[in-house]
Amino acid sequence: METSSLLSTPNLFPVYQPIVDRDLSVIGYESFIRGNDAKQVLEGFTSPSLDKMNQIVSMDTLCKQLALEQYTSDTPLFLNSHPYSVNPFPPTLPFPKQHDLVIEITEQAFLHDEPSLSIHVEQLVARGVHFAIDDFGFGHFSLPFILNIQPTYIKLAKEIVHSCNNEKSLDVLKRLTEPFREMGVNIIAEGIETGEQFEQMQSIADAFQGYWIAHPRRLATSKLK
């Protein structure tokens, strides 16, 4: 299916998964795309090619637009940004007024066009947009990248959360993240699937996300129930 037809299809819709603090109070939602065409869209995102960059950027923008238009909570909305989208929030998108906006970004985006991305990040920060480093600890990341973005949040990859199942590994992760917490960065543990993982991450993370807390759903509100 061509991008032009996907852009007009009704078979894509956003769902929202809550991010909570230690008291299980909702502090924000991350958006995901579902629907009959979602599988094809996501496959294009995970197996991208440079010759399809424009299509990918168009679909990334559409996913963000849908998430913004249907968001119903007054808590921050976390939006993923594809690495090929050098401008994490194009001017064609509606800027939210009723809630804060957090753009999740990975180091791969920095590798494609560092100067352009840096300019857009600075402009968005000036407008009050916050940034989160996604999938920290799994894949590529570098200290210069994080220092350049100056994120409000760092999201621990679920693979890291699941592998920290003893005191030694938890201590290593705590030492790794402590400098960022001293800088004022909030640590979010993704992939929380059991109560035990939630308890283990208490000494490391400030916030939590995963199926044990709640599955993604169509409407986002300020409460879990």
Side-chain angles (χ1 to χ4, degrees):
M1 185 178 296
E2 296 296 327
T3 301
S4 58
S5 61
L6 277 175
L7 289 174
S8 61
T9 180
N11 293 322
L12 292 174
F13 59 86
V15 293
Y16 306 91
Q17 186 175 40
I19 301 170
V20 302
D21 61 17
R22 293 186 179 90
D23 297 323
L24 296 179
S25 297
V26 176
I27 65 167
Y29 281 86
E30 180 181 356
S31 66
F32 301 92
I33 288 296
R34 298 288 188 269
N36 294 338
D37 296 317
K39 182 177 180 181
Q40 181 181 352
V41 171
L42 296 176
E43 285 176 350
F45 281 177
T46 56
S47 302
S49 59
L50 290 174
D51 62 321
K52 295 184 178 180
M53 182 181 296
N54 289 336
Q55 291 181 346
I56 293 171
V57 171
S58 295
M59 288 308 310
D60 184 55
T61 301
L62 173 63
C63 291
K64 292 172 182 173
Q65 179 179 337
L66 292 173
L68 286 160
E69 290 177 348
Q70 300 185 35
Y71 193 56
T72 56
S73 175
D74 57 3
T75 61
L77 172 62
F78 287 67
L79 288 177
N80 284 287
S81 190
H82 193 278
Y84 285 0
S85 297
V86 175
N87 186 347
F89 197 79
T92 56
L93 292 175
F95 200 84
K97 297 180 180 179
Q98 74 276 17
H99 59 81
D100 287 337
L101 182 63
V102 182
I103 301 294
E104 297 188 14
I105 199 166
T106 63
E107 186 183 20
Q108 284 87 341
F110 204 51
L111 300 177
H112 287 298
D113 192 342
E114 175 182 340
S116 296
L117 178 60
S118 297
I119 291 173
H120 288 305
V121 167
E122 291 178 3
Q123 293 172 342
L124 290 170
V125 168
R127 296 190 67 184
V129 175
H130 300 274
F131 283 85
I133 301 297
D134 197 21
D135 289 335
F136 178 85
F138 190 78
H140 302 285
F141 94 93
S142 67
L143 184 57
F145 169 70
I146 295 177
L147 294 177
N148 184 77
I149 296 297
Q150 298 185 24
T152 303
Y153 305 91
I154 285 179
K155 302 187 76 176
L156 301 177
K158 65 179 181 180
E159 292 85 356
I160 300 301
V161 172
H162 294 180
S163 65
C164 289
N165 50 18
N166 56 60
E167 289 298 325
K168 184 176 181 179
S169 58
L170 287 169
D171 185 62
V172 170
L173 184 58
K174 186 175 183 178
R175 291 173 182 269
L176 181 63
T177 56
E178 190 62 32
F180 300 116
R181 297 187 69 178
E182 292 177 355
M183 293 167 55
V185 177
N186 296 286
I187 306 298
I188 300 175
E190 293 188 292
I192 300 294
E193 297 180 356
T194 67
E196 182 180 6
Q197 290 172 348
F198 178 73
E199 292 299 326
Q200 288 176 332
M201 288 292 114
Q202 291 291 309
S203 63
I204 296 172
D206 305 289
F208 313 84
Q209 179 181 358
Y211 288 162
W212 180 80
I213 296 163
H215 286 252
R217 58 191 182 185
R218 290 293 295 267
L219 295 179
T221 65
S222 298
K223 296 182 180 180
L224 289 178
K225 302 296 184 182

